[in-house]
């Protein structure tokens, strides 16, 4: 999410690093796109990319304090359910994370994560939640994956 990357004036440094790290973790990258900043642009692109998609949609950029950093606002227009534990974990990973306004949430069977635009911040944020993403996606797909052993039980016997 960057006006200058979308216009070809600057190279996206975070997006390729996120893609590479996700591939290392066993994810397949279905699509990469550069999107201009702004609430409507972000919302429209997230709607299009999440429609009918079972998987993870990761954004980078637009989570800070600059006037055009409206990725969280655009994301809020799309998500049906927030996933605050993920965004909180992403913010706690570094002192500068406290300046991130990124969101995490669910639309349909798609999990959306907003990462910062800085390469280091993006990878630190992703690493903070990478260990639970496969389980989260399994749950979103309706699968009865067991909860991690340390939590006890399984989704088949958990109360609702």
């Amino acid at each position: 999410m960057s006006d200058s990357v979308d216009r070809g004036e600057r190279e996206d440094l975070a997006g390729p690093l996120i893609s590479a790290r996700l591939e290392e973790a066993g994810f397949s990258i279905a699509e990469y796109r550069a999107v201009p900043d702004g609430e409507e642009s972000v919302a429209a692109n997230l709607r299009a990319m999440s429609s009918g998609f079972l998987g993870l949609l990761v954004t980078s950029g637009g989570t800070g304090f600059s006037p055009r950093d409206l990725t969280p606002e655009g994301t809020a227009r799309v998500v049906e359910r927030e996933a605050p534990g993920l965004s909180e974990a992403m913010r706690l990973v570094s002192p500068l994370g406290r300046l991130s306004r990124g969101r995490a949430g669910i639309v349909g069977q798609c999990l959306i994560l907003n990462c910062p635009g800085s390469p280091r911040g993006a990878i630190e944020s992703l690493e903070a939640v990478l260990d639970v993403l496969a389980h989260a996606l399994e749950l979103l797909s309706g699968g009865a994956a067991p909860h991690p052993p340390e939590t006890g039980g399984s989704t088949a016997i958990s109360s609702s």
Side-chain angles (χ1 to χ4, degrees):
M1 309 297 182
S2 167
D3 290 330
S4 59
V5 170
D6 180 62
R7 290 190 303 260
E9 298 168 359
R10 186 176 61 83
E11 181 182 357
D12 177 16
L13 300 176
L17 290 175
I18 291 170
S19 295
R21 182 60 188 105
L22 287 170
E23 286 177 328
E24 286 174 17
F27 289 84
S28 298
I29 308 303
E31 181 178 353
Y32 166 89
R33 81 172 60 165
V35 174
D37 288 313
E39 186 175 339
E40 184 52 44
S41 172
V42 169
N45 278 279
L46 291 178
R47 267 191 213 97
M49 293 178 82
S50 65
S51 179
F53 180 60
L54 167 59
L56 177 65
L57 200 162
V58 180
T59 69
S60 66
T63 63
F65 285 35
S66 296
R68 296 272 300 151
D69 285 345
L70 296 171
T71 299
E73 289 75 14
T75 302
R77 290 176 55 181
V78 175
V79 298
E80 298 162 344
R81 296 183 288 154
E82 295 280 338
L86 295 174
S87 53
E88 290 164 8
M90 293 166 70
R91 275 190 275 283
L92 287 173
V93 74
S94 94
L96 288 177
R98 292 175 287 192
L99 296 176
S100 176
R101 300 178 318 102
R103 294 182 177 268
I106 300 161
V107 56
Q109 293 182 307
C110 179
L111 175 60
I112 299 174
L113 299 178
N114 295 157
C115 288
S118 77
R120 181 176 176 179
I123 293 302
E124 287 176 342
S125 295
L126 181 62
E127 290 288 346
V129 297
L130 193 56
D131 62 333
V132 298
L133 294 180
H135 183 62
L137 293 170
E138 177 67 23
L139 293 171
L140 278 176
S141 75
H147 284 283
E150 65 275 7
T151 64
S154 72
T155 55
I157 60 171
S158 293
S159 60
S160 52

